[in-house]
Amino acid sequence: GESVGLHLPTLSVQEGDNSIINCAYSNSASDYFIWYKQESGKGPQFIIDIRSNMDKRQGQRVTVLLNKTVKHLSLQIAATQPGDSAVYFCAENPSVGNMLTFGGGTRLMVKP
Amino acid sequence: SAVISQKPSRDICQRGTSLTIQCQVDSQVTMMFWYRQQPGQSLTLIATANQGSEATYESGFVIDKFPISRPNLTFSTLTVSNMSPEDSSIYLCSVPAGRPYEQYFGPGTRLTVT
């Protein structure tokens, strides 16, 4: 759960395009994964979640894909809008209890 | 959903001093969490605070540096003691939400230590 570096990777997309944000998680025993969105000056907000017994889950304009073989999680945002500009974090629940371990985060910038 | 407020929203402090951050929730919750988010980085859990018991600290965080109070089910404080520039971060509190393992987060306290 420790941060992966001093600088967040940045994904820059054109408004209306689809965005794909990737995350590698650390614990093969994790059974629950969440994507959070953090806008500037705010705390993280829940976007979508997925359990380890699923490989895909869809929400409104967002889809989360889970590949347990390679411990990889992705968030797809359809028709990206300027309001989607934020930092996106994946989080996993690696053990019992309500703890979350956060991944390194990706900054999404949407160009009008 | 829970509404969480934090005070102060930001502060600039001198090294060697201490700052106490307050977290207020609009509903009663058993568990509250405190996170640190260093500049440009992800969130790291500092400790879990349950009402009526001592906080449980994660590896790398100690009570002498980050004392936590939890006097009731809607309030908690985190103190950053004997601050150094390395403590410059955003400090966030959170509470469990309705979905398993989901958490509601406060807006954060941006601390700069000079």
Side-chain angles (χ1 to χ4, degrees):
Chain A
E2 292 296 324
S3 55
V4 297
L6 292 177
H7 302 286
L8 293 171
T10 298
L11 173 66
S12 185
V13 301
Q14 203 71 38
E15 180 179 358
D17 288 352
N18 297 332
S19 304
I20 300 176
I21 300 170
N22 297 304
C23 174
Y25 63 91
S26 58
N27 192 329
S28 57
S30 293
D31 64 355
Y32 198 80
F33 305 88
I34 301 177
W35 278 101
Y36 280 92
K37 172 185 180 183
Q38 187 178 27
E39 296 176 278
S40 181
K42 297 182 179 180
Q45 286 183 294
F46 172 93
I47 301 174
I48 192 168
D49 57 0
I50 189 168
R51 295 203 81 105
S52 61
N53 61 355
M54 304 170 68
D55 53 20
K56 180 180 180 179
R57 188 156 189 231
Q58 288 185 292
Q60 187 177 16
R61 278 204 309 121
V62 295
T63 301
V64 56
L65 300 178
L66 175 63
N67 185 331
K68 293 182 287 293
T69 302
V70 295
K71 292 190 288 186
H72 183 269
L73 199 63
S74 69
L75 177 71
Q76 300 178 1
I77 303 174
T80 313
Q81 302 168 359
D84 295 326
S85 294
V87 176
Y88 290 81
F89 295 100
C90 65
E92 60 182 306
N93 169 250
S95 63
V96 296
N98 285 334
M99 312 309 175
L100 288 175
T101 301
F102 281 80
T106 297
R107 185 180 305 279
L108 176 65
M109 296 178 61
V110 182
K111 297 177 288 186
Chain B
S1 65
V3 177
I4 304 173
S5 59
Q6 288 185 233
K7 290 182 181 180
S9 57
R10 59 177 62 224
D11 207 342
I12 301 173
C13 302
Q14 291 190 341
R15 68 173 67 211
T17 63
S18 297
L19 176 71
T20 295
I21 300 167
Q22 299 178 7
C23 178
Q24 180 77 51
V25 189
D26 69 343
S27 57
Q28 294 185 336
V29 292
T30 304
M31 300 175 74
M32 295 179 78
F33 305 99
W34 285 99
Y35 287 86
R36 180 177 72 183
Q37 186 175 23
Q38 293 176 300
Q41 298 190 25
S42 186
L43 283 75
T44 301
L45 181 64
I46 298 172
T48 302
N50 290 330
Q51 195 270 334
S53 63
E54 282 197 9
T56 302
Y57 289 83
E58 297 298 305
S59 176
F61 298 96
V62 295
I63 188 171
D64 289 347
K65 175 67 175 178
F66 297 102
I68 288 171
S69 79
R70 186 76 205 278
N72 57 54
L73 291 172
T74 64
F75 187 79
S76 178
T77 68
L78 169 76
T79 298
V80 186
S81 303
N82 188 26
M83 288 183 285
S84 67
E86 292 70 37
D87 294 319
S88 297
S89 295
I90 298 172
Y91 292 87
L92 299 124
C93 65
S94 72
V95 301
R99 297 179 185 86
Y101 312 117
E102 182 193 353
Q103 295 175 16
Y104 295 127
F105 285 85
T109 295
R110 182 179 293 272
L111 170 62
T112 302
V113 184
T114 61

